[in-house]
Every structure is written in structure tokens, then in C-alpha cells.
């Protein structure tokens, strides 16, 4: 479920880019392997119009569970293609949740890419914010400190207004930026 206060607080405090590293908190308790399903859980809403994250949050108060998304590897699609696993191409709001697995401790960079808006949290920390309507663009690189190899909770509020849609995540776990593989995302049904 969306934490409305956390999303709106993140948007209110937003500044372009991220200046400081943030330390992620692992899921506690760690999910049992047998409880995990590949991909991320998602709920959708279809507002009459959506231009800001606040509009998406409002719409998601009356959302419906959708088919899980495979991960965060939805490249910019063609206008008219469905957004993520929703049943519409435009005016889609999504509440996405689950876990991301980091296989090693360390300091890494992550970057969220979206068309249109998003606010993303991993391990209790804001790691991506890009409010408003825009093309498929990065939200800026955020340095994260991963204290241990583990599963970390991930929550994203996302919206797509019109035209094409994208939702991607890059990281540098091997020393260079690249797409996060879908295999490191999971959720509990």
C-alpha cells in the first residue's frame, strides 16, 4: 500500500539531484526464499488526468491489483503501447512494491529513469524523484550504502500521462552503470 505521507513529503523536500549518500536498511525479517515470486507487485489506477505525483497518489487510493511487472526494465515504448502490465496506454498511475537483492555489501550508485513521474524508495531511503510530465529521462544518480548482502524493500509510485512510457533502473554493482537485471526483483503474493 502506498504511504501517501512519505510520497508527498519526498516531493515537498525534493531538490534536483542527490548530494549525499544514503544507507539502505535491509528487510527485517528477510523474506523466505519459498515466499518470493519473481518480479514486483503492482496496483493500478486510471485517473481522468495525471500531471504530478500528487495526482497519482490521489488516484491510487482506489487502485486495483495488476499482473506483476518483471522488474524495472521497461524501455521507452511506442505511443499506444500498454504501460507496464496495465490495461491502458495512457493516464496510468502505479504503486509498485517488493524487494531488490544486493548480492554484496558496498557503496553503489543507482539511477531511476521514467516517463513520466516517479518517486522511488529502497531500504527506507529516497533514491529517485522526478515529478511532472516529461520524456523518458533519468532522475539523477543516487549513491547508496548497502550494509550487507540481503533483500531490501523497494516502493515506487509512478505515473504515465500520454505518449510513450518507460520505467527503468540502472546501477553500478560491477563498477559501471548498467541495467538492473529483472532477476534481482521479487515480491510476496
Amino acid at each position: 500500500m502506498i504511504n501517501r505521507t512519505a510520497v508527498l513529503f519526498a516531493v515537498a523536500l525534493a531538490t534536483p539531484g542527490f548530494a549525499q549518500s544514503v544507507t539502505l536498511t535491509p528487510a527485517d525479517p528477510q523474506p523466505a526464499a519459498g515466499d518470493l515470486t519473481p518480479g514486483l507487485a503492482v496496483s493500478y489506477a486510471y485517473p481522468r488526468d495525471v500531471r504530478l505525483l500528487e495526482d497519482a497518489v490521489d488516484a491510487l487510493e482506489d487502485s486495483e491489483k495488476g499482473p506483476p511487472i518483471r522488474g524495472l526494465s521497461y524501455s521507452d515504448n511506442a505511443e499506444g503501447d500498454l504501460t507496464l502490465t496495465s490495461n491502458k496506454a495512457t493516464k496510468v498511475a502505479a504503486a509498485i512494491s517488493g524487494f531488490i537483492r544486493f548480492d554484496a555489501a558496498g557503496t553503489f550508485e543507482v539511477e531511476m529513469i521514467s516517463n513520466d513521474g516517479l518517486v522511488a524508495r529502497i531500504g527506507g531511503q529516497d533514491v529517485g524523484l522526478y515529478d511532472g510530465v516529461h520524456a523518458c529521462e533519468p532522475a539523477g544518480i543516487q549513491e547508496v550504502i548497502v550494509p550487507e548482502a540481503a533483500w531490501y524493500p523497494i516502493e515506487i509510485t509512478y505515473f504515465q500521462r500520454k505518449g510513450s512510457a518507460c520505467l527503468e533502473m540502472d546501477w553500478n554493482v560491477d563498477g559501471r552503470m548498467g541495467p538492473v537485471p529483472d532477476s534481482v526483483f521479487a515480491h510476496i503474493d
Side-chain angles (χ1 to χ4, degrees):
M1 189 63 167
I2 295 173
N3 183 334
R4 178 182 173 78
T5 304
V7 170
L8 297 178
F9 184 72
V11 171
L13 293 180
T15 58
F18 296 94
Q20 298 180 351
S21 299
V22 294
T23 301
L24 306 183
T25 302
D28 184 18
Q30 283 287 292
D35 293 339
L36 293 172
T37 301
L40 296 167
V42 62
S43 292
Y44 292 109
Y46 304 101
R48 291 176 52 98
D49 198 11
V50 58
R51 294 175 182 268
L52 299 169
L53 284 164
E54 184 174 2
D55 301 330
V57 170
D58 288 346
L60 287 163
E61 297 217 2
D62 185 27
S63 62
E64 57 190 53
K65 184 177 179 180
I69 62 174
R70 64 181 177 258
L72 298 175
S73 58
Y74 289 85
S75 299
D76 206 18
N77 65 8
E79 188 168 341
D81 287 350
L82 297 179
T83 297
L84 307 175
T85 60
S86 76
N87 59 20
K88 292 184 111 184
T90 61
K91 298 180 183 169
V92 176
I96 301 164
S97 62
F99 301 95
I100 182 172
R101 186 184 71 243
F102 285 88
D103 290 331
T107 301
F108 307 101
E109 294 175 327
V110 298
E111 183 168 48
M112 304 300 299
I113 302 150
S114 67
N115 172 359
D116 287 301
L118 75 77
V119 60
R121 294 177 62 80
I122 297 175
Q125 299 292 329
D126 293 330
V127 298
L129 174 64
Y130 201 146
D131 201 1
V133 176
H134 55 85
C136 187
E137 297 173 351
I141 293 174
Q142 172 64 56
E143 189 173 82
V144 298
I145 299 166
V146 175
E148 62 184 90
W151 288 101
Y152 290 79
I154 184 168
E155 297 177 323
I156 299 169
T157 300
Y158 165 79
F159 75 87
Q160 190 287 334
R161 183 169 181 269
K162 66 177 189 171
S164 63
C166 79
L167 181 60
E168 302 174 272
M169 182 179 172
D170 287 349
W171 65 1
N172 77 340
V173 296
D174 60 359
R176 65 184 181 280
M177 292 300 281
V180 176
D182 292 340
S183 61
V184 302
F185 294 103
H187 68 285
I188 297 173
D189 276 331

